[in-house]
Amino acid sequence: MVRGLDHIVVAVKDLESAGQAWSDLGFTVTPENRHSWGTANRLVQLDGFFVELLSVADQDLIFEGSDEVFSFGAFNRDFLTRREGASMLVLDSSDPQKDREDFRKAELKLYEPFSFERTANLSDGSKVQVAFDLTFLSDPLAPEIGYFTCRNRFPQNFWKDAFQSHANGASTVKAVYLVAGDPSDHHEFLGGFTGQREMRATSLGLEVKTARGAISVLTPSAYASLVGADAAAQITGPLPQIVALEIGCKGLAERKTVPANHLNGLTLILSPQ
């Protein structure tokens, strides 16, 4: 079973200004939602994939993790003490138990299962209930990145046409880009995480085609060739890290790159669809 890209988490210090930055680029951004463990989010929904803009709303509600229990709130809180940017890469799930079995067979580091429900705020002011089952895991070679799979139990309440209609034509995820000193180091983890054992490896990096979009792990020089030296120079902190997101846009004539300093540490690549 090959899993597809579900969403990325982008940790930000000011959720309102981050949402405004995406809105200024022609994206529809959802109203703010709160988690019971102290974080708040606003979303940018595409066709089966979304960007989760996330901030810490209440430090007192965050619980600390352990070797067995992953704390989503604590991970992003600690991430924000170092920098803003894409903190987590998430794949979709249709069967959390099967995910766990697959990850154990691949000898990946697993944490206790985690499920939650929350009320989602819609653009018309109404509210609906949403619920998710999360399977957290980690790559010891990528401590700056959080990984999990996500099963959406009420997709009919979560996905809304109004949220997926963007003035800039944004429609679908094409790729998530990571930069690593040696991309081949992450071959085994990404193969086990995605369920995709066939991947393209070159001297420039590693590409994994998922059931929805691709994960591309590039060397720093290969990434500079993709987005330009100035945009690549904005990477701060240890590698590997999630550095860019490519989105396909209907009606776009040529590729555009929005550098990381405009979007809280994430470079955005808008491509013709």
Side-chain angles (χ1 to χ4, degrees):
M1 179 178 65
V2 178
R3 301 170 187 89
L5 295 175
D6 186 82
H7 69 281
I8 60 170
V9 178
V10 182
V12 302
K13 294 179 180 179
D14 186 329
L15 187 59
E16 183 177 355
S17 65
Q20 187 61 53
W22 283 78
S23 180
D24 289 345
L25 290 171
F27 290 96
T28 298
V29 186
T30 69
E32 179 180 320
N33 297 291
R34 294 288 182 107
H35 297 127
S36 61
W37 54 82
T39 54
N41 71 19
R42 298 184 69 186
L43 311 180
V44 176
Q45 291 190 2
L46 302 175
D47 183 11
F49 173 90
F50 65 97
V51 178
E52 180 176 11
L53 305 174
L54 184 101
S55 66
V56 174
D58 188 341
Q59 294 266 8
D60 294 338
L61 294 177
I62 293 178
F63 66 88
E64 302 302 326
S66 68
D67 192 54
E68 292 80 26
V69 179
F70 188 90
S71 172
F72 178 94
F75 180 87
N76 284 285
R77 175 202 62 196
D78 295 346
F79 184 95
L80 282 168
T81 65
R82 300 185 293 274
R83 62 183 179 90
E84 293 184 292
S87 60
M88 310 186 83
L89 176 59
V90 190
L91 301 183
D92 60 13
S93 173
S94 59
D95 186 342
Q97 185 56 43
K98 179 66 164 57
D99 293 344
R100 299 187 68 81
E101 292 172 2
D102 289 347
F103 297 155
R104 286 194 186 98
K105 289 178 181 177
E107 299 183 341
L108 303 183
K109 168 60 179 175
L110 268 173
Y111 297 85
E112 291 296 318
F114 184 79
S115 300
F116 75 97
E117 297 186 14
R118 68 167 172 82
T119 299
N121 299 309
L122 303 183
S123 55
D124 62 2
S126 62
K127 300 178 184 296
V128 294
Q129 202 68 12
V130 295
F132 306 91
D133 300 309
L134 311 183
T135 302
F136 291 105
L137 63 164
S138 60
D139 177 4
L141 298 179
E144 289 290 305
I145 303 174
Y147 296 95
F148 62 97
T149 61
C150 177
R151 179 174 68 172
N152 187 336
R153 278 190 267 146
F154 299 113
Q156 71 278 11
N157 290 345
F158 181 82
W159 299 106
K160 298 297 178 183
D161 290 342
F163 291 153
Q164 296 176 54
S165 177
H166 305 281
N168 60 12
S171 175
T172 187
V173 62
K174 286 193 168 183
V176 172
Y177 293 91
L178 284 64
V179 167
D182 186 348
S184 64
D185 288 345
H186 308 283
H187 176 279
E188 286 299 322
F189 176 84
L190 289 176
F193 181 42
T194 62
Q196 174 62 276
R197 291 296 181 177
E198 296 182 4
M199 52 190 76
R200 185 167 66 92
T202 70
S203 60
L204 301 178
L206 186 70
E207 183 180 74
V208 184
K209 290 186 177 180
T210 80
R212 181 186 298 106
I215 300 171
S216 184
V217 189
L218 301 175
T219 63
S221 61
Y223 181 63
S225 297
L226 175 71
V227 300
D230 290 344
Q234 295 175 21
I235 297 176
T236 61
L239 302 179
Q241 59 180 264
I242 305 166
V243 293
L245 173 68
E246 184 172 0
I247 294 175
C249 300
K250 297 176 181 177
L252 189 66
E254 60 183 17
R255 195 168 99 173
K256 299 180 180 179
T257 298
V258 182
N261 60 343
H262 290 283
L263 284 177
N264 304 91
L266 177 73
T267 293
L268 183 64
I269 302 169
L270 304 178
S271 299
Q273 187 171 335

